[in-house]
Each structure stands twice: as structure tokens, then as C-alpha cells.
Amino acid sequence: GLARECLHLLSLRGWSGEQRTSTEQFDSVAFYALSTIQRSPILQCNNQSGDANFVSLRHQLKQNLLCTISSTCLRVMPSFIATKVGVLLALLVREEYPRFWPNPVLDVMAALRLAGDSGGHQDKHSYLMHLCFLDALSDEIVYPSVAEDSSNGNLQAQRDRREQVKDAMRGFVKTANTSTDHTKPSISVERTEAAAIARWLSETLAQTSNSNSDEVLEIAVKTAATLKRYVSWIELSLASNAGLVSLLYSGLG
């Protein structure tokens, strides 16, 4: 019930400049609502995760968050709110990928207008929001906080779920009554979520590292830090392309 009320609250107001009347007050209430949702049972890997009501609430949350980051509100959204939005999107991936949310990375990129020929690389805020999401995804799936884990009664369920998501992102899927086969991906590497992440990070780093703009260089630095998080657990070949290799050589020379 509380999660539903928080979702209703977030749907009433946004961060678009023309609608804001009490900025600090709404930011505080929104942060509390997002934090409440983060701690709610719908995002806790419990036995009710597949319950129709939980699935419906997560779908509503996902649509609200994607709608929020797809608007111009990113320019006025406080960084602490953007971080919380990234965390909630990452928790949704943990709960729903791949059964209920098969293409989370591409969906977030589309919402931020970073996919295809949208010219999204011109928008610093969209880039930083996507990096915030990817950092949160790495933290929630690969490097979870020990303190957060130990405070939750579903520790083993969360560990198992993280491993399933991490394997699925790399193309390894556990079938019924069998363990995960880490030698034969079920889909081609190029079509995996891990490949989409590594490709975007590599291309972004190659495109931004030689800029004379401080704003673009800020994106390059943050992108390099995020890429470093991911190359430790995805195939390094996924994170290499001609542009990145050239960049690395020039850095060494």
C-alpha cells in the first residue's frame, strides 16, 4: 500500500521547470518517496516477487522512472535524486531481468535519447544519468554493499538472483534442473546486455576523450571509471573496438 501511494505521489509532480513551485520541499518529499520504494517488498527478492500485484507495481515504477528521465527535467533534477533514480532502475533490473524486462539497458538509453542517431551525446545530463544507472547496476549486481546485504533477511535469495542476472547479462542462462553452463552462451555475445553496455562505454570514451570542452571531458572521466567497473566481470573483448584501441595506444605513446 505504501509503495503504491509513493508511486502516486511521484506521478503527480515532476522536475520540469515550468511546474515547480516549491523546489526544495518537493525534492525532499520525492527523495523520501524513492527511498521508501527502495526498501519496499517489491524490490527485495522475496517469495512474492512473481506475485501479479508486485509485478504490476514494478511495471508502474519502471514506466514512471523512464518517463521521468526522458523529459527535460534532468537539467534541473538534483544529483541526489538522479542517483536514487539510478539505484531504483538497477534494482528493477535485479528483480525483472530477463523475464519481465528483457532489454533494460537499451530501454534506458532510448528514454535518455542516447540510442541510434538521436545526437544524445550533446546532452551532458543524459550521459551522466546513464552512467549513474550503470554504476548502480554494477553496485547492485556485481559489487553489493555488505552492510546492505547483512541487514536484509533475504540474503541468500539476493545472492542467487544477482548471479542469475549477471550470468544472463553475459548470455549464460540456467535451464531447469541444470547448473549454469559458462562455456556455451545461449545467445551470441553481440546481442547480450553486457555487450550493449561495453559497446556504449567504449564508444563514448573514444568520442569524448579528445575534446577541449570541460563538460565533455567530465563525461570522458566518468565513462572511464564506469568502464573499469565492468571489464572486471565481462569479457574484455566486449569492451574493445577500433576507437578504444586507438585511444589506448595514443595514451601509451
Side-chain angles (χ1 to χ4, degrees), residues 133-173:
F133 162 62
L134 293 179
D135 286 345
L137 186 61
S138 174
D139 289 341
E140 294 298 335
I141 304 302
V142 186
Y143 306 111
S145 166
V146 175
E148 288 183 3
D149 270 350
S150 60
S151 67
N152 193 292
N154 301 314
L155 177 59
Q156 189 59 49
Q158 289 191 7
R159 286 177 175 172
D160 293 344
R161 184 68 188 127
R162 288 190 183 102
E163 287 301 314
Q164 291 171 6
V165 172
K166 185 168 67 172
D167 287 341
M169 289 179 70
R170 295 181 294 176
F172 303 107
V173 179

Side-chain angles (χ1 to χ4, degrees), residues 186-208:
S186 59
I187 62 175
S188 62
V189 172
E190 294 78 10
R191 294 171 51 205
T192 63
E193 290 294 302
I197 292 171
R199 187 181 306 113
W200 184 82
L201 290 170
S202 300
E203 292 175 353
T204 299
L205 184 58
Q207 292 168 3
T208 59

Side-chain angles (χ1 to χ4, degrees), residues 58-78:
R58 288 198 299 267
H59 177 75
Q60 185 181 350
L61 173 61
K62 178 172 61 180
Q63 294 305 114
N64 282 352
L65 294 176
L66 292 177
C67 181
T68 295
I69 65 174
S70 69
S71 68
T72 58
C73 69
L74 286 178
R75 296 182 180 276
V76 292
M77 181 186 292

Side-chain angles (χ1 to χ4, degrees), residues 159-236:
R159 286 177 175 172
D160 293 344
R161 184 68 188 127
R162 288 190 183 102
E163 287 301 314
Q164 291 171 6
V165 172
K166 185 168 67 172
D167 287 341
M169 289 179 70
R170 295 181 294 176
F172 303 107
V173 179
K174 180 178 179 179
T175 58
N177 302 320
T178 64
S179 59
T180 305
D181 185 350
H182 288 93
T183 61
K184 298 178 180 180
S186 59
I187 62 175
S188 62
V189 172
E190 294 78 10
R191 294 171 51 205
T192 63
E193 290 294 302
I197 292 171
R199 187 181 306 113
W200 184 82
L201 290 170
S202 300
E203 292 175 353
T204 299
L205 184 58
Q207 292 168 3
T208 59
S209 59
N210 293 320
S211 174
N212 294 321
S213 165
D214 289 341
E215 283 196 352
V216 176
L217 288 177
E218 179 186 355
I219 295 173
V221 170
K222 290 182 179 296
T223 300
T226 301
L227 181 59
K228 182 180 179 181
R229 290 171 177 252
Y230 280 87
V231 295
S232 64
W233 65 274
I234 64 176
E235 289 189 27
L236 186 58

Side-chain angles (χ1 to χ4, degrees), residues 103-123 126-127 130 196 199-200 203-204 207:
N103 300 299
V105 174
L106 294 179
D107 287 348
V108 171
M109 288 178 63
L112 291 168
R113 298 178 177 83
L114 292 174
D117 299 323
S118 61
H121 66 278
Q122 303 291 335
D123 188 345
S126 292
Y127 266 77
H130 193 43
R199 187 181 306 113
W200 184 82
E203 292 175 353
T204 299
Q207 292 168 3

